[in-house]
Amino acid sequence: MSSLRQFTITAILVLASLSVATKEKAPETPTPGTDTVHGCYKSVGTMKNTSHDEFNTQGACAKVCRGLGKLVGASLSKDCWCGDQYPNKADLVDDDQCTEPCPGFGDEACGGLDTWTVYNIGIRVSVGEADSSSSSSSGPSKTSSVANSPSDTIETITASSSPDNNNKSNTNVAGIAAGVVVGVVVISGIIGGTFFWMRRKRNAEIEEEHRRNAAVNAFISGGKPPSSSGGVSMTDSRLDPVMNRRMSDGSIADNQDYSRRILRVTNA
C-alpha cells in the first residue's frame, strides 16, 4: 500500500514538473549580450525561417540569429526564425499558448499551436515592431506550421509556380513547331516550282533540237523539211529535178543546132 502511494506521489510530481517545464516564460527585460524571452505571438511578423534543428532550443536559435546579425529570434519546435523587428503587438497572446517543449531542452517552451516564442538576441535592447499589415496569422503561421524545414517551403513555392512555367514552355514549343512546319512548306514549294520550271525548259530545248535535226536531215536527203507550224508547205516544181526531166521529154532536142534555118519539104 505504501508502495502504491509512493508511486502515485512520484507520478504527480513528474506531471507537475512537465507542466511547469513546458510553460512559456514570462517576458523579461532585454539585457545586452544574452537572449531574453519577449513573449508568445501568433505570428512572426517580418522574420524569416532560417534553420531547422533536431535539438532546437532558445539558446540555439538565438545563436543562429546572432551569427546572422539579426536582432530578434523566434522558435516553433525544431524551426528557428530571425529578423530585425518584433511581431506587431496586436499578435501578442497569453504565455500559456506557447506550451511546445523545445526538442533540445524540454524545460523551455518553443512555441505552441500556431504560436511562436519570440526572443531578444541581446545585440540591441531597443527593437521596433512590425506593422500590423506585415503581421498576419494567415500568412507565415500556416506556412510555418506545415513546413518542417526551409527546403519544404522552397518546394511548395516551386510547385505553385510550375504551372505558369509549363504553360510558357508549351506555348514556346507550339510556336517553334508551327514555324518549322511553315518553313518546310515554303521551301518545298520553292524546290518543286524550280524543278518543274527546269523540266519544262529542258523539254522545250529538246523539242527545238529535234526539229532542227529533222530539217537538216530532210535537206540532205532532198525531202521536204518539216514545218514548225505543222501546215502544208508550197514548193516550186521547177526546183524538182524529176519534174524537170519529165517536162523535157518530147520537147526540143538538145543535140540539134537551131542557129541555122533548115528547109524542110513536106507533101501537102
Side-chain angles (χ1 to χ4, degrees), residues 171-185:
T171 303
N172 294 335
V173 170
I176 293 173
V180 171
V181 171
V182 173
V184 170
V185 172

Side-chain angles (χ1 to χ4, degrees), residues 17-18 20-25 35 37 55-61 75 77 98-111 117 119:
S17 63
L18 290 175
V20 171
T22 56
K23 183 178 180 180
E24 176 69 42
K25 292 181 180 180
D35 52 275
V37 176
F55 302 98
N56 187 36
T57 61
Q58 174 182 326
C61 183
S75 294
S77 186
C98 288
T99 57
E100 182 70 22
C102 292
F105 185 55
D107 291 341
E108 295 178 350
C110 286
T117 301
Y119 319 113

